[in-house]
Amino acid sequence: MKAREVAREALRDLVSGTTTTSLWIALFVVTVGAVVVAQATSARSAVDAADRWLASGAATLVETAEERIDGRACDALSALPTVQAAGAMRAATVDLSPAALPRGTVPTYDVTPGFAALLPVEGTTDGLGLVVSDEAARALGVTGPGDLATRDGHAPVQGVFGYPDDGHDPALTYSALAASRADDGPFDACWVASWPASDDVVQALGRTVLPGSGGDTESRPVLGQLNSTLGVSFHSPPVALDGWGAAAAGGLGVASGAASVWRRRSHLASDRHVGVTTAAQLGSQSLQGAVWTTVASLCLVPVVLAVTAGLRPDDSIPISWDAGRTLAVGAVGVLLGVVVAAVSVRESSLLRYVRQR
């Protein structure tokens, strides 16, 4: 048979329902699709868990040593590969005295330029203005950048930062941050947001501590987490099939492809009896398998997109790529199963196939 005739035969089988296309589409979606969705869902769960870890402040390490932190060395940690942001802080010599609080003050901290990147700030962090916590902003009636009336005049407010009460170190819950130069004297603490965790960052944090005098009253460096409610180390949820997803999809594809051909073995043996060649049947059956496999794969695309919806490209693209690879292995498995089953059909076994039908 010519290639055109093989294609026509495959199309007739698909249109007439001889191939039971809908059955194999559904079987591929249920079997191979289950593997793909399980992998994508578990990967999404791992990404969400990592995001919660970062948002909680658990990935932020704090090296505390009163008046012994080198601000320049602390800010310089942001150049390390796994560090997202780094900055130093210390208690200011004078707290903010808002006119709205005649008898009260807002605890104020001097921070290095890199510190603002550690916090979700609404507004600009350029310049020398203040940034106040959301709780302080509510008390002072601050909604964004502007001038804040104080008992000493006016203070420019550049923005408001969020600081949830969920286990974070409570020092900044009700506070104001004032920009300071990194080389303007020693600081009290160095904060570093690092992901993934690295021993190199811990060692680098230790090097931000200035040499001490050795006196008994001198503060000793203490390393801790900004928020330890989620534990001291990150534990990712297990990934489905643990790297065996593609192999499982391939095996299920082989089984589906072979079954789609083997159930028609009496028909194929009969065609052989009247002169249809094995090569022609291989071409026809492979084309049919490719059609229903492609349709089934397209049905799964929206599911994968739904699983990865809302993720950053750096996270969604690897998950989608892995899903596509697993689908491709499953599709190749189908074609392999089709070929193996087709060449296994024997014209001499026609009567036995008919009796077994």
Side-chain angles (χ1 to χ4, degrees):
M1 293 177 70
K2 296 181 179 180
R4 180 180 298 178
E5 293 302 320
V6 170
R8 286 180 178 176
E9 177 66 20
L11 180 60
R12 281 194 294 268
D13 284 349
L14 289 168
V15 173
S16 66
T18 303
T19 307
T20 57
T21 307
S22 58
L23 170 64
W24 303 112
I25 290 174
L27 185 62
F28 187 91
V29 169
V30 170
T31 55
V32 176
V35 174
V36 171
V37 173
Q39 281 189 302
T41 302
S42 62
R44 172 64 189 261
S45 297
V47 171
D48 289 342
D51 286 343
R52 286 192 298 271
W53 177 264
L54 291 170
S56 72
T60 300
L61 300 178
V62 180
E63 183 83 41
T64 304
E66 189 174 350
E67 297 184 353
R68 291 187 59 192
I69 296 296
D70 185 334
R72 286 176 298 183
C74 182
D75 270 22
L77 295 181
S78 60
L80 294 177
T82 62
V83 173
Q84 298 177 323
M89 63 172 291
R90 67 181 173 217
T93 54
V94 179
D95 287 335
L96 179 66
S97 303
L101 303 174
R103 297 183 180 179
T105 60
V106 176
T108 305
Y109 298 88
D110 294 328
V111 297
T112 58
F115 195 88
L118 293 157
L119 304 170
V121 180
E122 296 181 6
T124 178
T125 56
D126 297 330
L128 298 175
L130 294 169
V131 180
V132 298
S133 68
D134 46 8
E135 183 173 320
R138 287 192 294 270
L140 301 176
V142 174
T143 58
D147 284 339
L148 175 66
T150 70
R151 296 197 290 272
D152 300 317
H154 288 81
V157 174
Q158 291 182 264
V160 177
F161 66 89
Y163 200 78
D165 183 17
D166 61 355
H168 279 67
D169 183 331
L172 300 187
T173 302
Y174 182 78
S175 67
L177 306 181
S180 175
R181 297 195 314 272
D183 59 354
D184 185 17
F187 290 79
D188 295 336
C190 179
W191 291 23
V192 174
S194 174
W195 181 258
S198 169
D199 290 338
D200 291 340
V201 174
V202 175
Q203 294 173 7
L205 260 174
R207 292 194 289 270
T208 65
V209 181
L210 296 169
S213 62
D216 294 337
T217 60
E218 184 178 66
S219 62
R220 297 291 188 267
V222 176
L223 178 64
Q225 288 174 278
L226 181 60
N227 186 351
S228 60
T229 56
L230 297 182
V232 296
S233 60
F234 176 73
H235 298 285
S236 176
V239 176
L241 300 174
D242 194 22
W244 292 93
L252 291 169
V254 169
S256 299
S260 70
V261 172
W262 192 249
R263 69 183 298 273
R264 300 182 60 204
R265 58 192 181 279
S266 60
H267 173 78
L268 297 177
S270 177
D271 287 348
R272 298 266 185 89
H273 188 66
V274 297
V276 178
T277 64
T278 301
Q281 287 186 341
L282 277 174
S284 176
Q285 295 303 309
S286 297
L287 184 57
Q288 293 175 54
V291 169
W292 60 258
T293 301
T294 300
V295 173
S297 298
L298 292 175
C299 290
L300 289 168
V301 169
V303 180
V304 175
L305 292 177
V307 172
T308 59
L311 292 179
R312 297 177 297 274
D314 288 347
D315 293 321
S316 63
I317 291 175
I319 294 176
S320 299
W321 175 261
D322 189 57
R325 182 185 62 179
T326 303
L327 275 176
V329 172
V332 171
V334 167
L335 297 181
L336 179 61
V338 166
V339 170
V340 171
V343 299
S344 299
V345 173
R346 296 285 183 268
E347 177 190 345
S348 58
S349 301
L350 174 60
L351 293 180
R352 178 165 60 84
Y353 295 155
V354 172
R355 286 195 299 269
Q356 291 175 346
R357 190 169 55 183

